[in-house]
Amino acid sequence: MASDLLRLTVLGSATPYASVDNPCSGYLVSSGGTRVWMDAGSGTLAQLQRHVRLDEVDAIWISHLHADHSADLLTAYYAALYADIQLAAPIPLYGPPGLADRLAHFLTNSPTRSPVESAFAVHELADGHQARVGALTLTSRAVAHGIPAFAVRIEAEGRSLVYSGDTAPCPNLTRLAEGCDVLLCEAESAQAPAEGEQVHHTPEDTGETAGGARVGRLIVTHVGRFLTPQQAVARASARFDGPVDYAAPGATFSIG
C-alpha cells in the first residue's frame, strides 16, 4: 500500500530565520498511520497543519535547542492546551537534556511554572537512544554541534531515513547513516572555517558523509544564506556519486 511507504515531507528548511516562502527546519515523517514531526523550527507548525492536526501527531523529535529547530514548540504548547486541540494524552516529545525546563523558562510568566508536561511527555535523548513510535523505530546519536545535538535514523519495514540535524562531519553521523536509503543532511556553511571549531557541514562535507556512509540518496537541507540550493546540490554532487536532491519546502519524498 502506498500509505505504508516511509515518507518525508519538508515543512521548511531555511536557516537561520524563515524566508517569505520557506519556514525554518521542520519535517513530517510518516509510515502507515504513524506521523512524527521532526524538528520544529519557526513557521513549521503552520505547514504541519497542511498534512495533519497537532493532536494527530504521534511524536515530536527535536535535534537541538537552537531556535531555528525548536521555536515552534512554544506555539505548539499553546495550541495543545489553550485552543481547539483536544489531546487524549500529552504528545511524546524527544529532545536534548533540559528540554522541559528550557520550555518552561520561556513559557512561565508567573510564580507558577507553566504546565509543560500537560502538553508534552518529554523523553531526554542520549547517545544511542532508541524509541518505538507506532510503525517507526527511532535511533538517535550525539553529533558535533558545540551544544547537545543529535542525529536520528528512522526505520520502517526495511526502509531507512537518517537526518543529520546540525553538525560538523563526525563519525557518529557516518556510522548512523551507514547503508541508509536516504540521508537528509545539512549544508549550512559556504566554506569550512579557517580556524576554530567547525559545527556545520559544507556541501562538500555533505557529499563526503553520504559517500562514506554508502547511502542510497542524499537530500541537502538547511542551506546557508550565502549559497543557493542549486550551488549546494552541485557542490555535494561533486563528492557523491548517487542522486542528490534539495529539501524544497513542501516537497515529499518516498523512501526505499
Side-chain angles (χ1 to χ4, degrees):
M1 296 284 293
S3 62
D4 293 329
L5 292 174
L6 184 60
R7 294 185 184 275
L8 167 71
T9 299
V10 181
L11 307 177
S13 57
T15 177
Y17 61 95
S19 65
V20 295
D21 56 0
N22 190 7
C24 288
S25 291
Y27 312 90
L28 177 64
V29 180
S30 59
S31 181
T34 305
R35 305 174 182 94
V36 173
W37 181 11
M38 186 171 69
D39 271 352
S42 304
T44 57
L45 177 58
Q47 297 306 312
L48 179 73
Q49 294 170 83
R50 294 183 181 274
H51 309 280
V52 61
R53 286 171 53 93
L54 182 61
D55 54 356
E56 295 172 330
V57 169
D58 295 284
I60 303 170
W61 184 93
I62 300 296
S63 63
H64 65 291
L65 296 182
H66 284 154
D68 58 336
H69 294 257
S70 63
D72 265 16
L73 289 177
L74 305 178
T75 49
Y77 165 84
Y78 287 111
L81 296 188
Y82 304 117
D84 57 339
I85 301 297
Q86 298 294 323
L87 296 181
I91 303 168
L93 172 59
Y94 299 89
L99 174 56
D101 287 341
R102 179 76 171 269
L103 286 175
H105 176 77
F106 279 104
L107 292 165
T108 300
N109 294 290
S110 74
T112 303
R113 184 181 187 273
S114 290
V116 171
E117 288 79 7
S118 296
F120 306 115
V122 178
H123 305 270
E124 293 191 345
L125 297 175
D127 189 35
H129 182 279
Q130 286 196 321
R132 182 78 179 178
V133 180
L136 304 176
T137 300
L138 283 64
T139 303
S140 301
R141 294 299 308 269
V143 291
H145 193 49
I147 64 171
F150 296 86
V152 65
R153 184 180 183 117
I154 301 181
E155 297 174 296
E157 299 295 331
R159 303 175 177 92
S160 53
L161 163 71
V162 171
Y163 170 48
S164 66
D166 280 5
T167 178
C170 65
N172 267 3
L173 176 60
T174 303
R175 286 193 288 264
L176 185 69
E178 180 67 34
C180 71
D181 293 305
V182 171
L183 171 61
L184 175 66
C185 191
E186 64 118 322
E188 160 83 22
S189 298
Q191 59 186 18
E195 58 184 47
E197 183 180 6
Q198 182 176 355
V199 295
H200 287 287
H201 277 63
T202 65
E204 288 80 7
D205 293 330
T206 301
E208 290 179 1
T209 294
R214 299 186 297 240
V215 311
R217 181 181 189 181
L218 172 63
I219 302 175
V220 175
T221 193
H222 202 266
V223 173
R225 293 276 175 161
F226 298 100
L227 291 168
T228 66
Q230 294 78 12
Q231 289 171 330
V233 167
R235 287 170 56 176
S237 296
R239 305 289 180 92
F240 176 61
D241 292 335
V244 181
D245 297 295
Y246 166 62
T252 295
F253 299 90
S254 295
I255 295 170

